[in-house]
Amino acid sequence: MPQTRIDFPIDALTRPHSEEEIQRKLAQERARLASMMGLDSGPVHHFRRPVERPFSAEERGKVTILFGGLTWKHERVIQAVFQGCGYRCEIMPVPNVSAFQLGKEYGNNGQCNPTYFTVGNLVQHLQFLESQGQTKQEIIDNYIFFTAGSCGPCRFGMYEAEYRLALQNAGFDGFRVLLFQQNDGVKAASGEAGLKFTVDFGLGMFNALNLGDIMNEMVYRIRPYEVEKGRTDQVWQMSMDTICTMLRDRKPFEDHEDLPEWMAKKIRANKGKKWEIWVNSLLKVREQLYGNPYKEALASVRGQLNTIEVDRLKVKPVVKIIGEFWAQITEGDGNFHMFEFLEREGAQVLVEPIGTWVMYMMYQVKARAAARRSLDAPHKHPQWYELQKKAVNELKFRQKQMLLTIGERIYARQYQRVVQGLGNIAHDLVDQKEMADMANPFYNQFARGGEGHLEVGKNVYYTKNQLCHMVLALKPFGCMPSSQSDGVQSAVANHFKEMIFLPIETSGEGEINAHSRVQMALGEAKVKARMEFDQALKATGKRLDEIKDYVAEHPELRNVFYPVPHRHGYAGIAANFVLHVSDLMNGKKKLARVPAPVRKLEATPAFGD
Ligand code: SF4
């Protein structure tokens, strides 16, 4: 067999290669390859996070805080709290397709859909301000953007950088972005002297969030059944005005002014002492949550809602919305105006409150602390006889769990109080442990990012408890956690044969396609709702006319606050309503007491009209 000869260049074997020589050759080769690929167009400029000017307390009177990205109900109450605490505040418009395109133009490639929409929306709004006659410098000096941020693990962690990059690219270099961090919100927000996290501000925001959530859920529960078209929207504007006026104009509690004079005198003499600050803060909490202005505002909203007449005999499929945080909450192009579309198509939409996500965050911290119990213990691996160390470990763990449980309970209870204060139309927050247990066979609760296991948990929860006819998941294109959930949802759907589940990828394009897919699934859900109603009616042994006559004679049953009990196995309002009316007619139940009755009911329109 002929031998293969390898020829080495003499100097390669003999001449010693210095490190500099190697680096020089490497650079030469890199330049040659870059030039070959057309990548040698100039020096590379990496994006660097700009050093930001702080938002100072002196600027409070002239700088306007911009924010947005939620529903108009949430945004209005949040704005009212900002204004009530002495800030100038403006709500940004709902992001639209042209904002999405601007986001693509000025931001990085490969972002997820909400990034494009929200980043582009900010740029678009600043460009609008410029078109109104303000210079770029005036806008940079007189406005700041307030938004949520996170460290990930999904692209939520990139939002801050994306905002800054897009602002720089659009010529608004130096525009300030204030972040409310997902994990350490209070610290981050109060880090800027201009935005001060006081007791009044914090509790005002807490109330605002609850009110926004509950008013948002209620409007979707009532509007599909209104008798007079447009009445609900009209009343909602009025009611949101009432709530916002209260949040903006209520006088903050001050111990030295609002306590009886004999106490106020003592307080004035001790103003600024530690105990006085504590007393004042606790009384502020009490006043914010239980004070008369709050109760009176809720009462007057109840009075306004009481003027809406509803017809619960309209058979409507109940569609539960789940999905990514932003896609399931926005009411615009960001989710193809999906809620409006569903209502137009004759559905009742069950929206998700932000409160669920807040509870999820608290639950996750608690569950994580339990899972890391031995890792985070102050004494690692104590021996069996080191009883004191074991006791310290146990105490620390229980202390943390207890504090988190108290936090969860307070949040859930306060939410429930507002639900009750507004007439018990909205639902209480779902127990997170139950949700995690339901998701657990399919999705690990410690897989973080976006809504984590919530999408799967909600799908199982609403289907298993028969609270809806169809689940619609709105997931933005390019969303990592939602893609994971959707992969899992096919296993979930196989498990629950009765489930109608449809995932829709939201984007800046493809609205018609998305609507037509929803229409197809909704067709099935309508059939399901109609069959359920027919079955309920049959179970009563009565004719629909008899039920209608009874309802016509009892105006309480057309009252928006009338409590219709939920029967297991029936998701639709109409099905539950006929069963209840039948019980009333049979004398098995008594009519519930409600506020003043409403006018006479007219003919019941056909399915979904
Ligand atoms: S959850 Fe999805 S859409 Fe939302 S920020 Fe993360 S990757 Fe983007």
Side-chain angles (χ1 to χ4, degrees), residues 38 370 483 490 492 496 498 551:
S483 303
S490 49
V492 178
F496 298 94
E498 73 282 17
V551 174

Side-chain angles (χ1 to χ4, degrees), residues 216-266:
N216 188 43
E217 184 184 339
M218 283 166 68
V219 73
Y220 285 107
R221 281 184 181 269
I222 296 174
R223 189 167 45 210
Y225 301 96
E226 67 186 4
V227 170
E228 186 187 331
K229 201 164 166 42
R231 178 78 191 141
T232 312
D233 285 340
Q234 209 183 349
V235 169
W236 238 255
Q237 290 293 343
M238 208 189 326
S239 299
M240 290 310 298
D241 284 347
T242 306
I243 290 174
C244 291
T245 307
M246 178 273 293
L247 290 172
R248 191 179 48 243
D249 298 346
R250 75 189 296 186
K251 179 192 170 306
F253 180 89
E254 292 301 342
D255 52 3
H256 62 283
E257 290 168 0
D258 300 316
L259 284 174
E261 187 48 31
W262 64 272
M263 286 169 96
K265 231 189 226 171
K266 281 196 180 147

Side-chain angles (χ1 to χ4, degrees), residues 210-216 218 222 236 239-240 243 294-295 297-303 305 415-426 560-561:
N210 283 345
L211 286 164
D213 269 351
I214 293 161
M215 288 298 283
N216 188 43
M218 283 166 68
I222 296 174
W236 238 255
S239 299
M240 290 310 298
I243 290 174
Y294 197 55
K295 288 188 200 157
L298 297 193
S300 79
V301 168
R302 281 200 308 272
L305 303 193
Y415 191 91
Q416 191 186 41
R417 274 190 59 235
V418 185
V419 168
Q420 288 166 351
L422 287 171
N424 265 322
I425 293 172
V560 81
F561 295 116

Side-chain angles (χ1 to χ4, degrees), residues 112 114 154-156 159 324 450 476 478-481:
C112 52
C154 70
R155 272 168 284 197
F156 195 17
Y159 273 37
E324 189 267 345
C479 173
M480 178 195 80

